Short mmCIF file of all heavy atoms in Angstrom, two decimals:
data_model
loop_
_atom_site.label_atom_id
_atom_site.label_comp_id
_atom_site.label_asym_id
_atom_site.label_seq_id
_atom_site.Cartn_x
_atom_site.Cartn_y
_atom_site.Cartn_z
N MET A 14 61.15 -228.01 47.74
CA MET A 14 59.79 -227.82 47.31
C MET A 14 59.39 -229.02 46.45
O MET A 14 60.17 -229.44 45.60
CB MET A 14 59.67 -226.52 46.56
CG MET A 14 58.35 -226.37 45.90
SD MET A 14 58.13 -224.88 44.91
CE MET A 14 58.53 -223.64 46.07
N THR A 15 58.20 -229.50 46.65
CA THR A 15 57.71 -230.62 45.85
C THR A 15 56.77 -230.09 44.78
O THR A 15 55.87 -229.29 45.05
CB THR A 15 56.95 -231.61 46.76
OG1 THR A 15 57.82 -232.06 47.80
CG2 THR A 15 56.49 -232.79 45.94
N ILE A 16 57.02 -230.51 43.57
CA ILE A 16 56.15 -230.15 42.44
C ILE A 16 55.50 -231.43 41.89
O ILE A 16 56.17 -232.41 41.65
CB ILE A 16 56.97 -229.47 41.31
CG1 ILE A 16 57.61 -228.19 41.83
CG2 ILE A 16 56.07 -229.16 40.14
CD1 ILE A 16 58.50 -227.54 40.81
N LYS A 17 54.20 -231.36 41.71
CA LYS A 17 53.48 -232.51 41.17
C LYS A 17 53.23 -232.20 39.69
O LYS A 17 52.53 -231.23 39.35
CB LYS A 17 52.14 -232.72 41.89
CG LYS A 17 51.37 -233.89 41.47
CD LYS A 17 50.14 -234.08 42.33
CE LYS A 17 49.42 -235.37 42.05
NZ LYS A 17 48.28 -235.46 42.97
N LEU A 18 53.80 -233.02 38.80
CA LEU A 18 53.56 -232.90 37.37
C LEU A 18 52.31 -233.63 37.00
O LEU A 18 52.22 -234.84 37.19
CB LEU A 18 54.79 -233.44 36.61
CG LEU A 18 56.15 -232.90 37.04
CD1 LEU A 18 57.26 -233.60 36.30
CD2 LEU A 18 56.23 -231.41 36.88
N LEU A 19 51.32 -232.91 36.52
CA LEU A 19 49.99 -233.49 36.28
C LEU A 19 49.86 -234.16 34.93
O LEU A 19 49.48 -235.31 34.84
CB LEU A 19 48.95 -232.40 36.45
CG LEU A 19 48.95 -231.71 37.81
CD1 LEU A 19 47.98 -230.53 37.75
CD2 LEU A 19 48.58 -232.68 38.90
N HIS A 20 50.20 -233.45 33.86
CA HIS A 20 50.10 -233.99 32.52
C HIS A 20 50.82 -233.07 31.54
O HIS A 20 51.13 -231.94 31.83
CB HIS A 20 48.65 -234.22 32.08
CG HIS A 20 47.80 -233.02 32.18
ND1 HIS A 20 47.73 -232.08 31.18
CD2 HIS A 20 47.02 -232.56 33.15
CE1 HIS A 20 46.90 -231.12 31.56
NE2 HIS A 20 46.46 -231.39 32.75
N CYS A 21 51.06 -233.61 30.36
CA CYS A 21 51.74 -232.83 29.32
C CYS A 21 50.70 -232.56 28.21
O CYS A 21 50.09 -233.47 27.68
CB CYS A 21 52.91 -233.64 28.74
SG CYS A 21 53.81 -232.76 27.45
N ASP A 22 50.53 -231.28 27.86
CA ASP A 22 49.56 -230.89 26.85
C ASP A 22 50.11 -230.70 25.45
O ASP A 22 49.40 -230.28 24.56
CB ASP A 22 48.91 -229.55 27.27
CG ASP A 22 48.00 -229.69 28.49
OD1 ASP A 22 47.47 -230.77 28.70
OD2 ASP A 22 47.79 -228.68 29.19
N ALA A 23 51.39 -231.02 25.26
CA ALA A 23 52.02 -230.84 23.98
C ALA A 23 51.37 -231.80 22.96
O ALA A 23 51.04 -232.96 23.30
CB ALA A 23 53.52 -231.09 24.05
N ILE A 24 51.27 -231.34 21.76
CA ILE A 24 50.70 -232.20 20.67
C ILE A 24 51.59 -233.38 20.39
O ILE A 24 51.15 -234.52 20.33
CB ILE A 24 50.44 -231.37 19.41
CG1 ILE A 24 49.38 -230.32 19.69
CG2 ILE A 24 49.98 -232.25 18.26
CD1 ILE A 24 49.21 -229.27 18.60
N ARG A 25 52.88 -233.12 20.23
CA ARG A 25 53.87 -234.18 20.03
C ARG A 25 54.99 -233.96 21.03
O ARG A 25 55.98 -233.31 20.78
CB ARG A 25 54.43 -234.11 18.59
CG ARG A 25 53.39 -234.50 17.59
CD ARG A 25 53.83 -234.42 16.14
NE ARG A 25 55.25 -234.42 15.93
CZ ARG A 25 55.81 -234.05 14.83
NH1 ARG A 25 55.07 -233.58 13.82
NH2 ARG A 25 57.11 -234.04 14.67
N PRO A 26 54.82 -234.54 22.24
CA PRO A 26 55.83 -234.27 23.31
C PRO A 26 57.19 -234.91 22.96
O PRO A 26 57.26 -235.99 22.40
CB PRO A 26 55.23 -234.98 24.54
CG PRO A 26 54.21 -235.90 24.03
CD PRO A 26 53.76 -235.40 22.68
N ASP A 27 58.25 -234.18 23.29
CA ASP A 27 59.62 -234.63 23.04
C ASP A 27 60.12 -235.33 24.29
O ASP A 27 60.43 -234.71 25.32
CB ASP A 27 60.48 -233.41 22.72
CG ASP A 27 61.87 -233.78 22.38
OD1 ASP A 27 62.27 -234.96 22.52
OD2 ASP A 27 62.66 -232.89 21.92
N ARG A 28 60.10 -236.66 24.27
CA ARG A 28 60.47 -237.44 25.44
C ARG A 28 61.86 -237.13 25.95
O ARG A 28 62.10 -237.04 27.12
CB ARG A 28 60.41 -238.98 25.13
CG ARG A 28 59.02 -239.44 24.94
CD ARG A 28 59.02 -240.97 24.67
NE ARG A 28 57.70 -241.47 24.38
CZ ARG A 28 56.86 -241.87 25.35
NH1 ARG A 28 57.26 -241.90 26.58
NH2 ARG A 28 55.66 -242.30 25.06
N ARG A 29 62.83 -237.01 25.03
CA ARG A 29 64.20 -236.72 25.48
C ARG A 29 64.32 -235.35 26.13
O ARG A 29 65.03 -235.20 27.15
CB ARG A 29 65.16 -236.79 24.29
CG ARG A 29 65.47 -238.21 23.86
CD ARG A 29 66.58 -238.28 22.86
NE ARG A 29 66.41 -237.26 21.85
CZ ARG A 29 67.30 -236.94 20.94
NH1 ARG A 29 68.45 -237.56 20.94
NH2 ARG A 29 67.09 -236.01 20.04
N ALA A 30 63.64 -234.36 25.61
CA ALA A 30 63.69 -233.01 26.17
C ALA A 30 63.03 -233.01 27.55
O ALA A 30 63.53 -232.35 28.48
CB ALA A 30 63.02 -232.02 25.28
N ILE A 31 61.92 -233.70 27.73
CA ILE A 31 61.28 -233.77 29.01
C ILE A 31 62.17 -234.49 30.03
O ILE A 31 62.35 -234.03 31.16
CB ILE A 31 59.89 -234.48 28.90
CG1 ILE A 31 58.94 -233.65 28.05
CG2 ILE A 31 59.28 -234.75 30.28
CD1 ILE A 31 57.64 -234.32 27.67
N ALA A 32 62.72 -235.63 29.64
CA ALA A 32 63.60 -236.37 30.57
C ALA A 32 64.81 -235.53 30.94
O ALA A 32 65.22 -235.51 32.11
CB ALA A 32 64.03 -237.71 29.90
N ARG A 33 65.41 -234.88 29.98
CA ARG A 33 66.59 -234.03 30.27
C ARG A 33 66.25 -232.90 31.23
O ARG A 33 66.98 -232.56 32.13
CB ARG A 33 67.14 -233.47 28.97
CG ARG A 33 68.53 -232.96 29.06
CD ARG A 33 69.15 -232.61 27.68
NE ARG A 33 68.65 -233.39 26.59
CZ ARG A 33 67.99 -232.83 25.55
NH1 ARG A 33 67.75 -231.60 25.47
NH2 ARG A 33 67.61 -233.65 24.58
N THR A 34 65.06 -232.28 31.01
CA THR A 34 64.61 -231.20 31.89
C THR A 34 64.35 -231.70 33.29
O THR A 34 64.75 -231.09 34.27
CB THR A 34 63.35 -230.54 31.33
OG1 THR A 34 63.64 -230.02 30.01
CG2 THR A 34 62.85 -229.42 32.20
N LEU A 35 63.70 -232.87 33.42
CA LEU A 35 63.48 -233.42 34.75
C LEU A 35 64.80 -233.73 35.45
O LEU A 35 64.92 -233.49 36.66
CB LEU A 35 62.62 -234.71 34.67
CG LEU A 35 61.16 -234.51 34.25
CD1 LEU A 35 60.48 -235.90 34.18
CD2 LEU A 35 60.45 -233.63 35.23
N GLU A 36 65.75 -234.25 34.73
CA GLU A 36 67.05 -234.57 35.30
C GLU A 36 67.76 -233.29 35.78
O GLU A 36 68.41 -233.24 36.82
CB GLU A 36 67.92 -235.26 34.26
CG GLU A 36 69.25 -235.75 34.79
CD GLU A 36 70.02 -236.52 33.73
OE1 GLU A 36 69.56 -236.65 32.58
OE2 GLU A 36 71.13 -236.97 34.07
N ASP A 37 67.58 -232.18 35.03
CA ASP A 37 68.19 -230.90 35.36
C ASP A 37 67.57 -230.21 36.56
O ASP A 37 68.27 -229.68 37.41
CB ASP A 37 68.20 -229.96 34.19
CG ASP A 37 69.10 -230.36 33.08
OD1 ASP A 37 70.02 -231.19 33.33
OD2 ASP A 37 68.95 -229.85 31.94
N ILE A 38 66.24 -230.28 36.64
CA ILE A 38 65.58 -229.48 37.68
C ILE A 38 65.33 -230.25 38.99
O ILE A 38 65.23 -229.65 40.06
CB ILE A 38 64.23 -228.90 37.20
CG1 ILE A 38 63.20 -229.99 36.92
CG2 ILE A 38 64.43 -228.03 35.98
CD1 ILE A 38 61.79 -229.50 36.66
N ALA A 39 65.21 -231.57 38.94
CA ALA A 39 64.84 -232.36 40.14
C ALA A 39 66.07 -232.75 40.92
O ALA A 39 67.14 -233.01 40.37
CB ALA A 39 64.07 -233.60 39.68
N ASP A 40 65.90 -232.83 42.24
CA ASP A 40 66.97 -233.28 43.12
C ASP A 40 67.08 -234.78 43.04
O ASP A 40 66.05 -235.49 43.07
CB ASP A 40 66.69 -232.84 44.57
CG ASP A 40 66.60 -231.36 44.70
OD1 ASP A 40 67.10 -230.62 43.83
OD2 ASP A 40 66.02 -230.90 45.71
N ASP A 41 68.28 -235.32 43.06
CA ASP A 41 68.56 -236.77 43.12
C ASP A 41 67.79 -237.54 42.06
O ASP A 41 67.18 -238.56 42.38
CB ASP A 41 68.23 -237.30 44.53
CG ASP A 41 69.03 -236.64 45.61
OD1 ASP A 41 70.21 -236.31 45.32
OD2 ASP A 41 68.54 -236.42 46.71
N LEU A 42 67.81 -237.07 40.87
CA LEU A 42 67.16 -237.77 39.74
C LEU A 42 68.18 -238.01 38.63
O LEU A 42 68.68 -237.04 38.07
CB LEU A 42 66.00 -236.94 39.26
CG LEU A 42 64.92 -237.59 38.41
CD1 LEU A 42 64.14 -238.62 39.20
CD2 LEU A 42 63.96 -236.57 37.85
N ASP A 43 68.46 -239.26 38.36
CA ASP A 43 69.42 -239.58 37.27
C ASP A 43 68.70 -239.76 35.96
O ASP A 43 67.46 -239.64 35.90
CB ASP A 43 70.26 -240.84 37.64
CG ASP A 43 69.46 -242.07 37.73
OD1 ASP A 43 68.21 -242.03 37.59
OD2 ASP A 43 70.03 -243.14 37.93
N GLY A 44 69.45 -240.00 34.92
CA GLY A 44 68.88 -240.12 33.58
C GLY A 44 67.83 -241.23 33.44
O GLY A 44 66.81 -241.06 32.76
N ASN A 45 68.10 -242.40 34.04
CA ASN A 45 67.22 -243.53 33.92
C ASN A 45 65.87 -243.24 34.62
O ASN A 45 64.82 -243.55 34.07
CB ASN A 45 67.84 -244.78 34.47
CG ASN A 45 69.01 -245.29 33.64
OD1 ASN A 45 69.02 -245.10 32.45
ND2 ASN A 45 69.96 -245.88 34.27
N LEU A 46 65.95 -242.69 35.81
CA LEU A 46 64.73 -242.41 36.53
C LEU A 46 63.97 -241.26 35.88
O LEU A 46 62.74 -241.29 35.87
CB LEU A 46 65.11 -242.03 37.98
CG LEU A 46 63.94 -241.93 39.00
CD1 LEU A 46 63.12 -243.23 39.01
CD2 LEU A 46 64.47 -241.64 40.37
N ALA A 47 64.66 -240.29 35.32
CA ALA A 47 64.02 -239.21 34.58
C ALA A 47 63.27 -239.76 33.37
O ALA A 47 62.13 -239.34 33.10
CB ALA A 47 65.03 -238.15 34.16
N ALA A 48 63.84 -240.72 32.65
CA ALA A 48 63.17 -241.33 31.53
C ALA A 48 61.93 -242.11 31.98
O ALA A 48 60.90 -242.06 31.33
CB ALA A 48 64.15 -242.24 30.78
N GLU A 49 62.04 -242.81 33.11
CA GLU A 49 60.92 -243.54 33.63
C GLU A 49 59.78 -242.61 34.05
O GLU A 49 58.62 -242.85 33.77
CB GLU A 49 61.36 -244.38 34.84
CG GLU A 49 60.28 -245.29 35.35
CD GLU A 49 60.81 -246.21 36.47
OE1 GLU A 49 62.00 -246.54 36.48
OE2 GLU A 49 59.98 -246.52 37.35
N TYR A 50 60.16 -241.48 34.72
CA TYR A 50 59.13 -240.49 35.11
C TYR A 50 58.49 -239.85 33.88
O TYR A 50 57.30 -239.60 33.88
CB TYR A 50 59.77 -239.41 35.94
CG TYR A 50 59.96 -239.73 37.44
CD1 TYR A 50 59.78 -240.99 37.92
CD2 TYR A 50 60.33 -238.76 38.32
CE1 TYR A 50 59.96 -241.30 39.26
CE2 TYR A 50 60.51 -239.02 39.66
CZ TYR A 50 60.31 -240.31 40.12
OH TYR A 50 60.48 -240.55 41.44
N THR A 51 59.23 -239.68 32.84
CA THR A 51 58.68 -239.14 31.58
C THR A 51 57.66 -240.09 31.00
O THR A 51 56.57 -239.63 30.60
CB THR A 51 59.82 -238.88 30.55
OG1 THR A 51 60.74 -237.95 31.13
CG2 THR A 51 59.26 -238.37 29.27
N ASP A 52 57.96 -241.36 30.96
CA ASP A 52 57.04 -242.39 30.47
C ASP A 52 55.75 -242.41 31.31
O ASP A 52 54.66 -242.48 30.75
CB ASP A 52 57.66 -243.77 30.44
CG ASP A 52 58.75 -243.88 29.40
OD1 ASP A 52 58.79 -243.07 28.45
OD2 ASP A 52 59.61 -244.79 29.53
N ILE A 53 55.88 -242.32 32.61
CA ILE A 53 54.71 -242.30 33.48
C ILE A 53 53.88 -241.07 33.24
O ILE A 53 52.65 -241.12 33.12
CB ILE A 53 55.16 -242.37 34.98
CG1 ILE A 53 55.80 -243.74 35.26
CG2 ILE A 53 54.00 -242.12 35.91
CD1 ILE A 53 56.51 -243.82 36.60
N LEU A 54 54.52 -239.91 33.14
CA LEU A 54 53.84 -238.65 32.88
C LEU A 54 53.07 -238.68 31.58
O LEU A 54 51.90 -238.32 31.50
CB LEU A 54 54.81 -237.49 32.94
CG LEU A 54 54.25 -236.09 32.67
CD1 LEU A 54 53.29 -235.69 33.82
CD2 LEU A 54 55.37 -235.09 32.52
N LEU A 55 53.73 -239.14 30.52
CA LEU A 55 53.11 -239.20 29.20
C LEU A 55 51.98 -240.22 29.09
O LEU A 55 51.14 -240.16 28.21
CB LEU A 55 54.16 -239.40 28.12
CG LEU A 55 55.12 -238.21 27.97
CD1 LEU A 55 56.15 -238.53 26.90
CD2 LEU A 55 54.40 -236.90 27.67
N ALA A 56 52.03 -241.25 30.00
CA ALA A 56 50.99 -242.23 30.07
C ALA A 56 49.74 -241.68 30.74
O ALA A 56 48.66 -242.31 30.69
CB ALA A 56 51.43 -243.47 30.78
N GLY A 57 49.87 -240.53 31.40
CA GLY A 57 48.70 -239.87 32.00
C GLY A 57 48.67 -239.88 33.52
O GLY A 57 47.72 -239.39 34.10
N SER A 58 49.69 -240.44 34.15
CA SER A 58 49.72 -240.46 35.61
C SER A 58 50.58 -239.32 36.14
O SER A 58 51.61 -239.00 35.54
CB SER A 58 50.29 -241.78 36.11
OG SER A 58 49.49 -242.85 35.72
N PRO A 59 50.20 -238.73 37.25
CA PRO A 59 51.01 -237.63 37.82
C PRO A 59 52.30 -238.16 38.44
O PRO A 59 52.40 -239.32 38.84
CB PRO A 59 50.11 -237.01 38.88
CG PRO A 59 49.10 -238.05 39.20
CD PRO A 59 48.94 -238.92 38.00
N VAL A 60 53.30 -237.26 38.49
CA VAL A 60 54.62 -237.59 39.00
C VAL A 60 55.00 -236.45 39.95
O VAL A 60 54.80 -235.28 39.65
CB VAL A 60 55.64 -237.71 37.88
CG1 VAL A 60 57.06 -237.94 38.42
CG2 VAL A 60 55.27 -238.81 36.90
N GLU A 61 55.63 -236.82 41.09
CA GLU A 61 56.09 -235.77 42.04
C GLU A 61 57.62 -235.76 42.03
O GLU A 61 58.30 -236.80 42.05
CB GLU A 61 55.60 -236.07 43.46
CG GLU A 61 54.13 -235.92 43.65
CD GLU A 61 53.67 -236.14 45.07
OE1 GLU A 61 54.55 -236.24 45.93
OE2 GLU A 61 52.45 -236.22 45.23
N VAL A 62 58.14 -234.53 41.95
CA VAL A 62 59.61 -234.35 41.99
C VAL A 62 59.94 -233.28 43.04
O VAL A 62 59.13 -232.39 43.29
CB VAL A 62 60.22 -233.96 40.63
CG1 VAL A 62 60.05 -235.08 39.58
CG2 VAL A 62 59.60 -232.70 40.08
N GLU A 63 61.11 -233.38 43.60
CA GLU A 63 61.61 -232.44 44.58
C GLU A 63 62.56 -231.48 43.88
O GLU A 63 63.52 -231.91 43.23
CB GLU A 63 62.35 -233.17 45.72
CG GLU A 63 62.71 -232.34 46.88
CD GLU A 63 61.54 -231.88 47.70
OE1 GLU A 63 60.51 -232.58 47.74
OE2 GLU A 63 61.66 -230.82 48.27
N VAL A 64 62.32 -230.16 44.04
CA VAL A 64 63.12 -229.13 43.41
C VAL A 64 63.57 -228.18 44.54
O VAL A 64 62.75 -227.65 45.26
CB VAL A 64 62.36 -228.32 42.36
CG1 VAL A 64 63.21 -227.21 41.79
CG2 VAL A 64 61.86 -229.27 41.25
N SER A 65 64.88 -227.99 44.68
CA SER A 65 65.36 -227.08 45.71
C SER A 65 66.25 -225.97 45.15
O SER A 65 66.56 -225.04 45.85
CB SER A 65 66.11 -227.85 46.80
OG SER A 65 67.25 -228.45 46.25
N PHE A 66 66.67 -226.11 43.91
CA PHE A 66 67.62 -225.12 43.36
C PHE A 66 66.99 -224.42 42.15
O PHE A 66 66.49 -225.10 41.22
CB PHE A 66 68.90 -225.80 42.90
CG PHE A 66 69.90 -224.89 42.29
CD1 PHE A 66 70.59 -223.99 43.06
CD2 PHE A 66 70.13 -224.90 40.92
CE1 PHE A 66 71.53 -223.15 42.49
CE2 PHE A 66 71.01 -224.06 40.38
CZ PHE A 66 71.74 -223.18 41.13
N ASN A 67 66.96 -223.10 42.16
CA ASN A 67 66.48 -222.26 41.05
C ASN A 67 65.08 -222.68 40.58
O ASN A 67 64.86 -223.09 39.45
CB ASN A 67 67.49 -222.34 39.89
CG ASN A 67 67.45 -221.07 39.06
OD1 ASN A 67 66.65 -220.19 39.31
ND2 ASN A 67 68.30 -221.00 38.09
N GLN A 68 64.14 -222.48 41.46
CA GLN A 68 62.77 -222.90 41.21
C GLN A 68 62.10 -222.15 40.07
O GLN A 68 61.32 -222.74 39.32
CB GLN A 68 61.96 -222.78 42.51
CG GLN A 68 62.47 -223.64 43.59
CD GLN A 68 62.07 -223.25 44.99
OE1 GLN A 68 61.52 -222.16 45.15
NE2 GLN A 68 62.37 -224.05 45.97
N SER A 69 62.40 -220.87 39.91
CA SER A 69 61.75 -220.10 38.84
C SER A 69 62.19 -220.66 37.47
O SER A 69 61.36 -220.70 36.56
CB SER A 69 62.09 -218.64 38.94
OG SER A 69 63.47 -218.41 38.85
N SER A 70 63.41 -221.11 37.34
CA SER A 70 63.87 -221.70 36.09
C SER A 70 63.13 -223.03 35.84
O SER A 70 62.82 -223.37 34.70
CB SER A 70 65.38 -221.95 36.09
OG SER A 70 66.06 -220.73 36.10
N ALA A 71 62.86 -223.79 36.89
CA ALA A 71 62.15 -225.05 36.76
C ALA A 71 60.72 -224.79 36.27
O ALA A 71 60.25 -225.47 35.34
CB ALA A 71 62.09 -225.74 38.09
N TYR A 72 60.06 -223.79 36.82
CA TYR A 72 58.70 -223.46 36.38
C TYR A 72 58.70 -223.08 34.88
O TYR A 72 57.83 -223.48 34.11
CB TYR A 72 58.10 -222.34 37.19
CG TYR A 72 58.04 -222.58 38.70
CD1 TYR A 72 58.24 -221.54 39.56
CD2 TYR A 72 57.83 -223.86 39.22
CE1 TYR A 72 58.21 -221.75 40.96
CE2 TYR A 72 57.82 -224.08 40.54
CZ TYR A 72 57.98 -223.01 41.41
OH TYR A 72 57.95 -223.22 42.77
N ARG A 73 59.65 -222.28 34.50
CA ARG A 73 59.77 -221.78 33.12
C ARG A 73 60.00 -222.98 32.19
O ARG A 73 59.38 -223.05 31.14
CB ARG A 73 60.88 -220.78 32.99
CG ARG A 73 60.89 -219.96 31.76
CD ARG A 73 61.90 -218.85 31.75
NE ARG A 73 62.08 -218.16 33.04
CZ ARG A 73 63.19 -218.20 33.76
NH1 ARG A 73 64.24 -218.86 33.35
NH2 ARG A 73 63.24 -217.56 34.92
N ALA A 74 60.87 -223.88 32.53
CA ALA A 74 61.18 -225.06 31.71
C ALA A 74 59.95 -225.93 31.55
O ALA A 74 59.67 -226.42 30.45
CB ALA A 74 62.34 -225.85 32.30
N LEU A 75 59.20 -226.11 32.60
CA LEU A 75 57.98 -226.95 32.55
C LEU A 75 56.93 -226.30 31.68
O LEU A 75 56.26 -227.00 30.88
CB LEU A 75 57.43 -227.20 33.96
CG LEU A 75 58.35 -228.06 34.85
CD1 LEU A 75 57.81 -228.08 36.29
CD2 LEU A 75 58.47 -229.47 34.27
N ARG A 76 56.76 -225.01 31.80
CA ARG A 76 55.77 -224.31 30.95
C ARG A 76 56.18 -224.40 29.48
O ARG A 76 55.32 -224.55 28.61
CB ARG A 76 55.62 -222.87 31.38
CG ARG A 76 54.81 -222.68 32.64
CD ARG A 76 54.42 -221.25 32.85
NE ARG A 76 55.59 -220.35 32.91
CZ ARG A 76 56.22 -219.99 34.03
NH1 ARG A 76 55.80 -220.47 35.20
NH2 ARG A 76 57.22 -219.19 34.01
N LYS A 77 57.46 -224.28 29.17
CA LYS A 77 57.95 -224.36 27.82
C LYS A 77 57.65 -225.70 27.18
O LYS A 77 57.38 -225.78 26.01
CB LYS A 77 59.45 -224.11 27.81
CG LYS A 77 60.06 -223.98 26.45
CD LYS A 77 61.51 -223.65 26.51
CE LYS A 77 62.11 -223.50 25.14
NZ LYS A 77 63.52 -223.12 25.17
N LEU A 78 57.66 -226.76 28.00
CA LEU A 78 57.37 -228.13 27.50
C LEU A 78 55.89 -228.44 27.59
O LEU A 78 55.47 -229.58 27.30
CB LEU A 78 58.16 -229.16 28.32
CG LEU A 78 59.66 -229.10 28.10
CD1 LEU A 78 60.36 -230.00 29.16
CD2 LEU A 78 60.05 -229.55 26.71
N ASP A 79 55.03 -227.46 27.92
CA ASP A 79 53.58 -227.66 28.08
C ASP A 79 53.19 -228.71 29.08
O ASP A 79 52.32 -229.49 28.90
CB ASP A 79 52.92 -228.02 26.72
CG ASP A 79 52.94 -226.87 25.73
OD1 ASP A 79 52.84 -225.70 26.18
OD2 ASP A 79 53.06 -227.10 24.51
N ILE A 80 53.93 -228.71 30.21
CA ILE A 80 53.67 -229.61 31.35
C ILE A 80 52.89 -228.83 32.37
O ILE A 80 53.37 -227.82 32.89
CB ILE A 80 54.95 -230.19 31.90
CG1 ILE A 80 55.65 -231.06 30.83
CG2 ILE A 80 54.63 -231.05 33.11
CD1 ILE A 80 57.00 -231.59 31.25
N GLU A 81 51.68 -229.33 32.68
CA GLU A 81 50.91 -228.74 33.78
C GLU A 81 51.47 -229.24 35.09
O GLU A 81 51.74 -230.43 35.24
CB GLU A 81 49.44 -229.11 33.63
CG GLU A 81 48.76 -228.50 32.44
CD GLU A 81 48.61 -227.01 32.55
OE1 GLU A 81 48.30 -226.53 33.66
OE2 GLU A 81 48.79 -226.32 31.51
N TYR A 82 51.60 -228.36 36.06
CA TYR A 82 52.12 -228.75 37.36
C TYR A 82 51.37 -228.08 38.50
O TYR A 82 50.64 -227.10 38.29
CB TYR A 82 53.63 -228.40 37.45
CG TYR A 82 53.91 -226.91 37.32
CD1 TYR A 82 53.93 -226.08 38.43
CD2 TYR A 82 54.18 -226.35 36.06
CE1 TYR A 82 54.21 -224.74 38.30
CE2 TYR A 82 54.44 -225.01 35.94
CZ TYR A 82 54.46 -224.22 37.06
OH TYR A 82 54.71 -222.89 36.95
N GLU A 83 51.57 -228.59 39.68
CA GLU A 83 50.95 -228.10 40.91
C GLU A 83 52.06 -228.06 41.99
O GLU A 83 52.78 -228.99 42.13
CB GLU A 83 49.84 -229.05 41.32
CG GLU A 83 49.13 -228.70 42.55
CD GLU A 83 48.05 -229.75 42.81
OE1 GLU A 83 47.01 -229.71 42.10
OE2 GLU A 83 48.25 -230.61 43.69
N ILE A 84 52.14 -226.97 42.66
CA ILE A 84 53.13 -226.82 43.78
C ILE A 84 52.54 -227.35 45.01
O ILE A 84 51.48 -226.89 45.47
CB ILE A 84 53.54 -225.32 43.92
CG1 ILE A 84 54.12 -224.83 42.61
CG2 ILE A 84 54.54 -225.21 45.08
CD1 ILE A 84 54.32 -223.32 42.58
N LEU A 85 53.17 -228.36 45.63
CA LEU A 85 52.65 -229.02 46.82
C LEU A 85 53.21 -228.38 48.10
O LEU A 85 52.49 -228.23 49.09
CB LEU A 85 52.95 -230.51 46.80
CG LEU A 85 52.33 -231.29 45.64
CD1 LEU A 85 52.71 -232.74 45.74
CD2 LEU A 85 50.83 -231.14 45.65
N GLU A 86 54.48 -228.05 48.14
CA GLU A 86 55.11 -227.44 49.30
C GLU A 86 56.04 -226.35 48.88
O GLU A 86 56.80 -226.47 48.04
CB GLU A 86 55.94 -228.37 50.14
CG GLU A 86 55.43 -229.74 50.34
CD GLU A 86 56.35 -230.53 51.22
OE1 GLU A 86 57.55 -230.28 51.32
OE2 GLU A 86 55.83 -231.48 51.85
#
């Protein structure tokens, strides 16, 4: 399933927590790419990630970090 991360609404977003969460939930995403995706997301551009394992936990983690998302497939 593809999830489009739209933006982060947190007042003071935790870059390391977001990158770590992306690395945990997304398929084939290493630490460097997760950090790059985090920078892109916090700059205001949407990011698409592929999630195939434990999708409900992924949604919960994104909501906890105040990340707005859209399910594409």
Side-chain angles (χ1 to χ4, degrees):
M14 170 182 305
T15 304
I16 299 175
K17 184 175 187 178
L18 308 176
L19 302 172
H20 54 86
C21 181
D22 290 334
I24 295 170
R25 292 178 18 198
D27 184 351
R28 289 181 184 272
R29 285 189 316 170
I31 294 171
R33 197 171 330 116
T34 300
L35 290 179
E36 186 178 1
D37 289 343
I38 67 171
D40 299 341
D41 300 325
L42 197 68
D43 65 356
N45 292 329
L46 192 54
E49 186 176 330
Y50 279 10
T51 300
D52 291 340
I53 292 169
L54 179 67
L55 294 179
S58 298
V60 175
E61 291 183 11
V62 295
E63 188 70 29
V64 177
S65 63
F66 179 73
N67 208 357
Q68 296 159 351
S69 61
S70 293
Y72 304 145
R73 196 173 320 114
L75 293 173
R76 284 193 302 268
K77 187 176 181 179
L78 292 170
D79 291 327
I80 297 175
E81 293 291 321
Y82 61 89
E83 177 180 287
I84 300 169
L85 299 179
E86 320 182 334

